Amino acid sequence: MLEEEYNPRRELPRHLRPAAEPEPAFAWTIRAAEATDVPDMREIYNHYVANSTVTFDEDPLTLKEFRAKFRHGVEGGYPWIVAVSSSGQVLGYAYVSPWKEKAAYRYTVEDSIYLGPASTGRGLGTALFEALLDRSREAGMKEVIAVIADKGAEASIAMHKRFGFTEVGHMGKVGFKFDRWLGTYMLQKSLKRRK
């Protein structure tokens, strides 16, 4: 029989133990999204497709579909940004896309923001959204529209309102996902030039 089997190892009292290593700070850098970020952005997006009602897509996007979406946005001059950790991992992303395809809507965009599941509730969404609005303003956009599910997206609605968006409409039962009807709230913000 080994000594530790009959004589349990002693432990120091808590107050005498060395302090645990502090958890590294949750830090990120926000930059323009690049084509090499597409697989990570797609993985984040497809998590929401499969697990939430924040997107009304029901089938995961393929890499080819997401690349085309990204290319279309970037080539159109619309901001796509990512937040990356110090190790280069994509933690979240945000972009704006044309509100409608008709030419007269060219200064109006719809925003989208998606965070990796481990990155929520840590201030990253607010930082990404602020950067997205700044870059949209710099790109000449005048109006930003948010279309947000009326169930399961309360945090998104609250964040938009903190940034000065106002509710401009509610459409009930316009989407059907996970065997239930869903509506959408529409919020809008005018982007004013910074002085």
Side-chain angles (χ1 to χ4, degrees), residues 38-40 42 46 61-69:
V38 167
D40 293 328
R42 175 185 159 261
N46 284 341
L61 292 185
T62 65
L63 199 50
K64 182 178 180 180
E65 290 168 329
F66 205 95
R67 278 193 177 114
K69 179 179 184 169

Side-chain angles (χ1 to χ4, degrees), residues 14-36:
R14 282 183 206 260
H15 68 282
L16 295 177
R17 293 181 201 161
E21 285 288 320
E23 188 174 309
F26 185 67
W28 60 80
T29 302
I30 296 174
R31 61 167 171 76
E34 301 167 355
T36 55

Side-chain angles (χ1 to χ4, degrees), residues 21 32 59 67 76 78 82 92 95 154 161 168-169 180-181:
E21 285 288 320
D59 297 317
R67 278 193 177 114
Y78 298 99
V82 292
Y95 66 95
E154 293 78 13
K161 287 183 176 180
V168 294
R180 64 182 175 154
W181 286 103

Side-chain angles (χ1 to χ4, degrees), residues 103-119:
Y105 289 113
R106 67 186 164 275
Y107 298 110
T108 303
V109 291
E110 179 179 350
D111 70 68
S112 295
I113 181 166
Y114 295 95
L115 304 179
S119 300

Side-chain angles (χ1 to χ4, degrees), residues 2-193:
L2 298 172
E3 181 180 355
E4 50 268 3
E5 291 178 327
Y6 63 87
N7 193 7
R9 174 169 258 161
R10 296 184 336 187
E11 289 187 21
L12 287 172
R14 282 183 206 260
H15 68 282
L16 295 177
R17 293 181 201 161
E21 285 288 320
E23 188 174 309
F26 185 67
W28 60 80
T29 302
I30 296 174
R31 61 167 171 76
E34 301 167 355
T36 55
D37 298 319
V38 167
D40 293 328
M41 292 188 294
R42 175 185 159 261
E43 183 178 329
I44 290 169
Y45 182 74
N46 284 341
H47 166 79
Y48 289 96
V49 171
N51 298 294
S52 80
T53 58
V54 298
T55 174
F56 281 18
D57 274 335
E58 294 182 296
D59 297 317
L61 292 185
T62 65
L63 199 50
K64 182 178 180 180
E65 290 168 329
F66 205 95
R67 278 193 177 114
K69 179 179 184 169
F70 174 73
R71 191 176 320 107
H72 178 73
V74 171
E75 288 174 359
Y78 298 99
W80 277 68
I81 59 175
V82 292
V84 294
S85 69
S86 58
S87 66
Q89 177 187 3
V90 174
L91 303 170
Y93 70 98
Y95 66 95
V96 294
S97 55
W99 167 239
K100 300 280 185 189
E101 293 299 325
K102 295 183 173 125
Y105 289 113
R106 67 186 164 275
Y107 298 110
T108 303
V109 291
E110 179 179 350
D111 70 68
S112 295
I113 181 166
Y114 295 95
L115 304 179
S119 300
T120 61
R122 303 173 95 180
L124 178 59
T126 298
L128 257 177
F129 198 47
E130 183 174 18
L132 181 66
L133 293 176
D134 287 344
R135 291 180 190 217
S136 297
R137 185 181 295 106
E138 291 165 9
M141 302 300 118
K142 302 296 180 203
E143 298 294 322
V144 182
I145 306 293
V147 180
I148 304 172
D150 63 1
K151 292 180 179 66
E154 293 78 13
S156 182
I157 292 169
M159 182 179 71
H160 280 80
K161 287 183 176 180
R162 280 195 316 271
F163 275 92
F165 281 71
T166 56
E167 188 177 323
V168 294
H170 179 249
M171 297 186 292
K173 297 183 180 181
V174 293
F176 189 78
K177 186 174 181 180
F178 300 140
D179 296 321
R180 64 182 175 154
W181 286 103
L182 301 164
T184 58
Y185 286 107
M186 294 180 65
L187 294 92
Q188 182 176 351
K189 177 182 176 74
S190 295
L191 295 179
K192 303 206 174 14
R193 286 199 175 268

